[in-house]
């Protein structure tokens, strides 16, 4: 192979230094040396070819003198090592090679006809600079260390992998000469070059192209470092992580084991489940699916259960079929067989968390390729896998915790500072060795509560009606199948079953009672479906009729799920829209003054807010912020009413909401319950507030059967007249903005354990073409309060 490039050296191939060794042994003083006679013959022979000694730049002469060159270099390529050494004679800095050991030739032949030998990650500019540093050392005596390993990546077509080789170069047979075009390199030039490694123009100025002559040849030895390279690549990939990690590691391990179709999988097991249940937490597995649960004793044999899950020792099964016979063809054998696995290695890796175990799976389709001997090759890389599993376990834990924080029990930003203080104090106590250290109780005293809800009215009735309609559809479909069957096969049993189904239809028409749905579905499963199985075999027409029935069933619930899905989709769409709106508005409200906020989805949306001095750090609370938050909440409820009203036309089910605000004038305390990971009111007196919250939406107007909460109106429940006076100001302001209409002043029937409640009920003025992105600003609210 010849790679000519622009270099500061004129390259001449010369065998003068090799020839001089023969001249040495041909001299008279060595006439008793065993090599003397053969050396004389060699000297006489090669004096016939002066070009080989003086040197030549025409690389085509290598082919012309191939026989003579092979003969001359025979002592450097001993036949005894021809199948062991990977060696070639080459022209330095051009990677032109002209004599190879037999092993080297076999490697190149196996690489394929289109393969071209080249150094990994090597650019022309770097080659030029390396030539210059070579000249600095050999021509000027400067010690410049640019030694770096050179690697060749050569395909192994037979094995289906790429092998990696490190090269060692021997320059003992080379000489360097200056020409008249070579500038003299001074100490100052040398120092300048040391500071300009990346500036190729500086190097070309000091060492112009072809300004030096190099005569001779080099020897290149390659060493197979595939295993070392693979181990390094595995460690690098494990350290980097990222996408397609399993795929990258599989390529690495195929090279490592010289198995081009080796498969790699991994499973992270959760061992915290009760009764010996093991659950797959994370899987890119050859054998398990994500979330799969099983008992080790049912899936594995006792030996593997003990070794993998208790002793955490590596296991190699060299022959799947033999294992199947010994294990009674258990579930593990069947899983291996399904994947056509002939031999497998299981590598358990224990994380710091005692409830998590990772298992790596290496598999080959052929028996005995993986076994108890070559499993020992893994010892050098197991520590890297252990570190990666530890990191992956921690990352998974962090992801889970972040998900919980985001979607379930998030610590609101307004109070995060207090939790951080408590955590810091607890950590410091542990560091000081305080034996009874425990986290502080988080309590906020003297805070004002605000509660609101937008409740979907008649949700239970609507849900039951949707279930009833779906059951009617399902029963009618069943009757159609039975009628069709009677036409083909006149059996009394069909008519008897139709009678019973029609009885259910008649019963369901008048409404659903508790247990009706379960009873009907059980009847269909127990009495009707076995008959349907028989009917399907009576002909294509009946089979199609049964399929019509079955295709109407939801594949997961196995019931007709049409009206109910329509209803539940509507509830979900409305809830999501309201929740997203209040979450966005709440971020704006925090800018006014930080306060605790929590929102819940039910059949509608509820929210709790608390505001007060104890909730904030480095800020002063004023009652104006409470008043402003109350006005903001009332305005918010108006806007949510408008959103719900505007969605009625686009929802599959027509839904309406009824809105309610609970006013509580006296401050109370809230405590973070560590066991439930949420805030609750603290103290027996304050419990009354929670009782009112849970019961108030079922309250009736005093002396009537009319419910307080109705669609199209916002109900404000209070117990002190001063609260009504305050809210009437806010109502007047929102009436001026055409958000609210008429006001009713009501007294409420006593609730269990609660009496003396009153309410303002205000008509909502629905806006035409309401835009939830254009609402009353905070500045408007603040100005209203100030006035």
């Amino acid at each position: 192979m010849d790679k000519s490039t622009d270099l500061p050296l004129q390259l001449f191939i010369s065998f003068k230094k090799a020839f001089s060794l023969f001249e040495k042994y041909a001299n008279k003083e060595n006439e008793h040396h065993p090599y003397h006679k053969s050396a004389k013959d060699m000297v006489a022979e090669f004096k016939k070819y002066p070009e080989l000694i003086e040197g030549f730049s025409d690389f085509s002469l290598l082919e012309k003198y191939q026989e003579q060159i092979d003969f001359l270099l025979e002592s450097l390529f001993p036949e005894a090592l021809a199948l062991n050494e990977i060696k070639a004679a080459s022209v330095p800095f051009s990677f032109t090679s002209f004599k190879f050991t037999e092993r080297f030739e076999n490697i190149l032949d196996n690489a394929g006809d289109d393969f071209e030998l080249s150094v990994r990650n090597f650019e022309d500019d770097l080659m030029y600079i390396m030539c210059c540093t070579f000249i600095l050392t050999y021509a000027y005596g400067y010690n410049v260390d640019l030694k770096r390993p050179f690697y060749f990546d050569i395909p192994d077509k037979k094995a289906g992998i790429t092998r990696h080789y490190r090269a060692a170069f021997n320059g003992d047979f080379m000489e360097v000469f200056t020409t008249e075009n070579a500038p003299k390199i001074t100490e100052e030039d040398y120092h300048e070059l040391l500071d300009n490694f990346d500036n190729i123009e500086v190097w070309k100025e000091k060492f112009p192209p072809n300004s030096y002559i190099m005569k001779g040849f080099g020897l290149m030895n390659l060493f197979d470092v595939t295993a070392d390279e693979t181990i390094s690549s595995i460690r690098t990939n494990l350290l980097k992580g990222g996408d397609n990690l399993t795929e990258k590691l599989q390529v690495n391990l195929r090279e490592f084991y010289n198995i081009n179709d080796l498969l790699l999988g991994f499973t992270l097991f959760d061992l915290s489940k009760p009764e010996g249940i093991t659950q797959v937490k994370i899987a890119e597995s050859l054998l398990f699916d994500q979330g799969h649960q099983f008992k080790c004793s049912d899936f594995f044999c006792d030996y593997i259960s003990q070794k993998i899950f208790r002793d955490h020792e590596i296991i190699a099964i060299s022959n799947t079929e033999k294992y199947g016979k010994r294990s009674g063809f258990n579930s593990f054998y069947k899983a291996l067989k399904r994947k056509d696995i002939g031999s497998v290695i299981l590598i358990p890796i224990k994380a710091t968390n005692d409830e998590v175990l990772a298992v790596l799976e290496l598999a080959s389709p052929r028996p005995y390729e993986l076994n108890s001997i070559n499993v020992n090759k893994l010892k050098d890389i197991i520590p890297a896998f252990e570190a990666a599993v530890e990191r992956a376990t921690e990352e998974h834990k962090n992801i889970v915790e972040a998900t919980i924080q985001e979607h379930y029990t998030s610590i609101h930003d307004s109070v995060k500072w207090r939790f951080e203080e408590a955590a810091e104090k607890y950590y410091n106590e542990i560091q000081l060795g305080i034996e009874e250290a425990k986290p502080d109780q988080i309590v906020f005293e003297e805070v004002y509560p605000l509660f609101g809800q937008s409740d979907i009215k008649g949700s239970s009735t609507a849900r039951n009606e949707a279930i009833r309609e779906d059951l009617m559809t399902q029963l009618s479909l069943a009757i159609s199948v039975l009628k069709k069957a009677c036409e083909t096969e006149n059996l009394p049993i069909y008519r008897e079953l139709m009678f019973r189904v029609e009885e259910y239809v008649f019963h369901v028409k008048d409404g659903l009672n508790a247990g009706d749905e379960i009873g009907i579905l059980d009847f269909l499963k127990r009495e009707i479906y076995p008959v349907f199985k028989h009917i399907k075999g009576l002909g294509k027409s009946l089979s199609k009729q049964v399929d019509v029935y079955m295709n109407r069933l939801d594949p997961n619930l196995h019931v007709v799920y049409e009206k109910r899905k329509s209803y539940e989709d509507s509830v979900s769409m409305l809830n999501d829209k309201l929740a997203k709106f209040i979450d966005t508005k709440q971020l704006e409200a925090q800018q006014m003054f930080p306060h605790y906020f929590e929102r819940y989805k039910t059949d509608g949306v509820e929210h709790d807010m608390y505001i007060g001095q104890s909730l904030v750090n480095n800020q002063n609370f004023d009652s104006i912020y409470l008043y402003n938050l109350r006005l903001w909440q009332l305005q918010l409820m108006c806007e949510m009413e408008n959103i719900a009203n505007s969605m009625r036309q686009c929802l599959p089910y027509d839904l309406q909401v009824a809105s309610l605000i609970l006013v509580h004038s006296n401050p109370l305390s809230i405590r973070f319950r560590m066991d439930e990971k949420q805030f609750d009111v603290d103290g027996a007196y304050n419990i009354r507030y929670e009782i009112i919250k849970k019961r108030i939406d079922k309250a009736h107007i005093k002396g009537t059967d009319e419910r307080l909460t109705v669609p199209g109106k916002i109900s404000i429940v209070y117990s002190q007249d001063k609260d009504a006076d305050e809210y009437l100001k806010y109502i007047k302001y929102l009436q001026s903005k055409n958000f609210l209409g008429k006001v009713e002043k009501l007294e409420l029937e006593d609730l269990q354990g609660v009496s003396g409640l009153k309410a303002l009920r205000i008509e909502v003025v629905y806006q035409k073409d309401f835009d939830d992105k254009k609402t009353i600003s905070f500045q408007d609210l603040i100005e209203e309060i100030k006035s």
Side-chain angles (χ1 to χ4, degrees):
M1 177 191 63
D2 181 2
K3 275 194 173 179
S4 58
T5 185
D6 189 25
L7 294 173
L9 290 167
Q10 300 176 45
L11 301 178
F12 285 84
I13 302 171
S14 167
F15 301 97
K16 181 178 180 180
K17 283 201 168 187
F19 180 75
S20 65
L21 289 174
F22 289 105
E23 284 187 316
K24 173 184 173 183
Y25 290 114
N27 287 340
K28 193 170 183 181
E29 61 263 26
N30 288 315
E31 62 182 341
H32 299 297
H33 195 281
Y35 293 165
H36 177 68
K37 186 176 184 308
S38 59
K40 283 182 67 177
D41 294 340
M42 288 287 289
V43 169
E45 176 67 21
F46 277 92
K47 281 185 176 179
K48 299 175 186 177
Y49 310 104
E51 301 103 309
L52 298 181
I53 299 167
E54 296 300 324
F56 55 89
S57 59
D58 182 1
F59 288 4
S60 66
L61 295 179
L62 288 169
E63 186 175 351
K64 176 181 177 181
Y65 293 117
Q66 182 178 344
E67 184 179 343
Q68 290 78 14
I69 293 170
D70 287 348
F71 187 37
L72 182 62
L73 300 183
E74 193 173 81
S75 60
L76 298 176
F77 289 78
E79 187 175 355
L81 299 177
L83 290 173
N84 180 278
E85 290 187 321
I86 310 172
K87 183 191 289 186
S90 63
V91 181
F93 306 113
S94 74
F95 297 113
T96 300
S97 299
F98 50 86
K99 181 174 177 57
F100 302 88
T101 61
E102 189 174 347
R103 184 180 176 190
F104 204 154
E105 287 178 338
N106 291 338
I107 289 171
L108 293 176
D109 289 343
N110 190 33
D113 295 336
D114 57 345
F115 174 72
E116 186 175 331
L117 192 66
S118 61
V119 179
R120 181 200 304 167
N121 297 330
F122 205 82
E123 306 85 22
D124 287 345
D125 283 355
L126 181 58
M127 178 66 78
Y128 197 101
I129 293 170
M130 284 197 69
C131 282
C132 297
T133 60
F134 177 79
I135 295 167
L136 281 171
T137 300
Y138 284 90
Y140 296 101
Y142 290 113
N143 184 19
V144 181
D145 185 7
L146 189 56
K147 291 179 181 177
R148 52 169 282 193
F150 294 100
Y151 292 95
F152 294 91
D153 302 314
I154 304 177
D156 184 338
K157 295 290 187 182
K158 289 181 180 177
I161 61 174
T162 298
R163 297 193 183 278
H164 310 286
Y165 300 87
R166 190 183 75 247
F169 293 95
N170 184 331
D172 292 344
F173 299 94
M174 297 186 297
E175 298 176 285
V176 176
F177 306 95
T178 59
T179 69
E180 59 184 15
N181 296 324
K184 176 68 176 175
I185 301 299
T186 65
E187 189 86 9
E188 185 179 347
D189 292 329
Y190 171 61
H191 291 155
E192 183 181 356
L193 291 168
L194 291 180
D195 292 331
N196 284 277
F197 174 78
D198 292 324
N199 191 339
I200 186 65
E201 297 306 322
V202 173
W203 289 92
K204 286 187 174 181
E205 177 191 340
K206 308 298 182 188
F207 299 93
N210 300 315
S211 57
Y212 294 82
I213 294 173
M214 193 217 74
K215 286 187 177 183
F217 69 94
L219 292 175
M220 178 175 68
N221 282 274
L222 300 188
F223 301 91
D224 191 336
V225 292
T226 302
D228 295 336
E229 281 279 292
T230 302
I231 290 172
S232 176
S233 182
I234 288 172
R235 287 173 176 158
T236 300
N237 284 330
L238 287 171
L239 185 64
K240 288 169 62 177
D243 297 334
N244 305 318
L245 177 59
T246 303
E247 187 178 325
K248 294 174 186 174
L249 293 174
Q250 182 171 268
V251 172
N252 294 149
L253 288 164
R254 285 178 175 179
E255 293 180 356
F256 190 62
Y257 271 103
N258 197 15
I259 301 173
N260 66 357
D261 52 359
L262 179 142
L263 298 174
L264 170 68
F266 83 91
T267 309
L268 205 62
F269 292 105
D270 181 358
L271 307 181
S272 65
K273 301 296 179 184
E275 301 177 6
I277 298 293
T278 299
Q279 180 175 0
V280 177
K281 290 185 69 169
I282 307 174
E284 288 188 33
S285 175
L286 308 177
L287 305 171
F288 302 100
D289 296 324
Q290 188 96 8
H292 180 209
Q293 290 189 359
F294 61 92
K295 274 191 175 182
C296 284
S297 56
D298 294 341
F299 190 85
F300 295 106
C301 65
D302 292 342
Y303 176 76
I304 291 183
S305 294
Q306 177 69 35
K307 289 291 185 182
I308 296 292
F309 291 95
R310 287 186 281 278
D311 299 340
H312 308 140
E313 295 180 9
I314 299 176
I315 283 180
I317 297 175
S318 62
N319 188 313
T320 297
E321 290 302 325
K322 282 188 175 181
Y323 171 78
K325 291 175 183 177
R326 290 198 304 268
S327 65
F329 302 102
N330 63 1
S331 298
F332 178 49
Y333 161 77
K334 292 174 183 176
L336 295 171
K337 188 70 175 173
R338 278 196 302 272
K339 296 290 186 176
D340 294 323
I341 293 172
S343 53
V344 66
I345 295 174
L346 301 179
I347 308 156
I349 298 176
K350 192 74 183 74
T352 303
N353 183 347
D354 289 335
E355 296 179 346
V356 173
L357 178 72
V359 176
L360 301 179
E361 308 146 5
L362 297 182
S364 165
R366 291 165 292 279
Y368 301 113
E369 278 198 334
L370 298 173
N371 51 67
S372 64
I373 295 176
N374 59 23
V375 75
N376 288 280
K377 293 177 65 173
L378 296 167
K379 286 186 176 179
D380 292 331
I381 57 176
I382 291 296
F385 276 106
E386 288 174 343
V389 166
E390 192 66 46
R391 188 184 69 220
T393 304
E394 191 63 30
E395 287 175 354
H396 180 69
K397 179 183 174 183
N398 291 341
I399 290 169
V400 171
E401 287 181 354
T403 302
I404 292 171
Q405 288 288 318
E406 181 179 354
H407 297 289
Y408 303 104
T409 60
S410 59
I411 297 172
H412 196 264
D413 285 345
S414 63
V415 295
K416 192 174 181 180
W417 64 271
R418 182 63 187 91
F419 286 86
E420 289 173 347
E421 279 186 355
E424 191 72 37
K425 178 174 176 286
Y426 178 57
Y427 174 77
N428 291 336
E429 288 177 353
I430 291 174
Q431 295 300 306
L432 292 171
I434 298 174
E435 293 184 5
E436 296 181 358
K438 59 181 180 180
D440 283 350
Q441 290 289 318
I442 307 294
V443 179
F444 295 103
E445 298 179 343
E446 295 288 307
V447 296
Y448 294 91
L450 296 91
F451 171 75
Q453 71 173 30
S454 296
D455 184 49
I456 296 173
K457 292 307 291 180
S459 56
S460 298
T461 303
R463 184 179 283 106
N464 285 338
E465 177 61 18
I467 294 171
R468 188 189 69 80
E469 290 185 34
D470 282 341
L471 283 174
M472 290 283 290
T473 300
Q474 190 165 348
L475 291 170
S476 298
L477 288 168
I479 290 171
S480 297
V481 175
L482 293 169
K483 279 184 178 178
K484 193 77 172 176
C486 282
E487 296 173 6
T488 302
E489 193 176 36
N490 190 18
L491 297 180
I493 188 67
Y494 295 152
R495 286 189 291 276
E496 188 272 339
L497 287 172
M498 270 196 294
F499 171 75
R500 292 165 66 187
V501 175
E502 286 168 350
E503 275 195 320
Y504 277 118
V505 171
F506 182 77
H507 177 74
V508 169
K509 271 184 179 178
D510 295 329
L512 280 180
N513 297 319
D516 282 353
E517 182 184 14
I518 294 173
I520 291 171
L521 296 176
D522 182 63
F523 161 71
L524 291 170
K525 183 177 179 182
R526 192 166 29 84
E527 304 277 352
I528 300 297
Y529 293 167
V531 176
F532 278 9
K533 188 175 181 181
H534 167 75
I535 292 172
K536 272 183 75 76
L538 296 178
K540 288 185 178 179
S541 177
L542 284 172
S543 178
K544 187 176 180 181
Q545 192 75 27
V546 174
D547 288 342
V548 169
Y549 174 91
M550 291 299 178
N551 290 337
R552 289 288 291 274
L553 305 186
D554 181 89
N556 297 316
L557 302 175
H558 307 296
V559 297
V560 171
Y561 182 61
E562 295 169 353
K563 295 293 184 179
R564 191 178 353 170
K565 184 176 187 302
S566 177
Y567 169 77
E568 291 178 355
D569 285 349
S570 298
V571 170
S572 179
M573 290 168 63
L574 180 56
N575 272 354
D576 289 346
K577 181 72 172 179
L578 294 177
K580 185 177 180 181
F581 178 75
I582 193 173
D583 289 346
T584 302
K585 296 291 287 185
Q586 171 58 203
L587 294 176
E588 298 175 9
Q590 293 293 339
Q591 299 171 11
M592 174 187 67
F593 191 84
H595 54 277
Y596 182 81
F597 170 81
E598 200 162 11
R599 185 259 302 153
Y600 315 91
K601 285 182 186 178
T602 53
D603 278 353
V605 176
E606 298 180 1
H607 65 270
D608 277 310
M609 293 185 288
Y610 299 97
I611 190 169
Q613 183 62 62
S614 64
L615 285 164
V616 293
N617 194 20
N618 301 324
Q619 292 193 58
N620 294 319
F621 173 74
D622 190 280
S623 57
I624 191 173
Y625 297 122
L626 170 62
Y627 304 148
N628 195 67
L629 193 59
R630 285 174 172 170
L631 174 54
W632 174 85
Q633 183 189 35
L634 180 56
Q635 172 218 327
L636 176 78
M637 301 304 283
C638 292
E639 292 165 349
M640 291 175 70
E641 278 276 354
N642 273 274
I643 289 172
N645 184 65
S646 64
M647 289 185 70
R648 290 180 65 184
Q649 301 301 320
C650 59
L651 292 175
Y653 230 87
D654 186 17
L655 300 177
Q656 290 182 283
V657 299
S659 302
L660 179 142
I661 291 172
L662 175 60
V663 184
H664 190 82
S665 295
N666 300 322
L668 45 75
S669 297
I670 57 173
R671 179 184 297 270
F672 187 77
R673 306 292 180 190
M674 300 294 287
D675 52 346
E676 298 177 2
K677 298 291 186 291
Q678 67 179 28
F679 279 103
D680 282 334
V681 295
D682 194 38
Y685 173 76
N686 295 327
I687 294 298
R688 181 177 182 272
Y689 172 74
E690 286 293 328
I691 293 172
I692 297 173
K693 270 174 54 178
K694 287 180 171 57
R695 298 175 180 171
I696 191 61
D697 67 327
K698 303 294 190 295
H700 288 82
I701 298 171
K702 195 167 188 176
T704 73
D705 293 329
E706 184 184 352
R707 288 272 287 270
L708 170 65
T709 54
V710 293
K713 296 183 179 182
I714 299 173
S715 300
I716 303 173
V717 178
Y718 63 95
S719 56
Q720 298 184 36
D721 289 339
K722 65 184 180 93
D723 296 328
D725 294 339
E726 178 186 339
Y727 272 87
L728 285 169
K729 283 184 13 179
Y730 308 150
I731 293 166
K732 185 178 179 182
Y733 167 68
L734 292 173
Q735 284 173 330
S736 71
K737 300 292 183 181
N738 201 34
F739 267 78
L740 294 175
K742 295 178 181 178
V743 181
E744 300 173 82
K745 295 183 179 180
L746 307 169
E747 292 186 20
L748 304 183
E749 291 281 6
D750 292 345
L751 302 172
Q752 184 180 353
V754 180
S755 61
L757 293 178
K758 301 175 184 179
L760 298 173
R761 193 164 68 177
I762 315 100
E763 177 188 13
V764 177
V765 178
Y766 292 121
Q767 308 297 308
K768 187 178 180 181
D769 300 324
F770 177 77
D771 186 350
D772 58 64
K773 295 180 177 61
K774 297 178 181 178
T775 53
I776 299 173
S777 70
F778 273 114
Q779 193 59 40
D780 291 337
L781 297 177
I782 292 171
E783 291 300 324
E784 177 65 18
I785 293 292
K786 287 180 178 177
S787 62

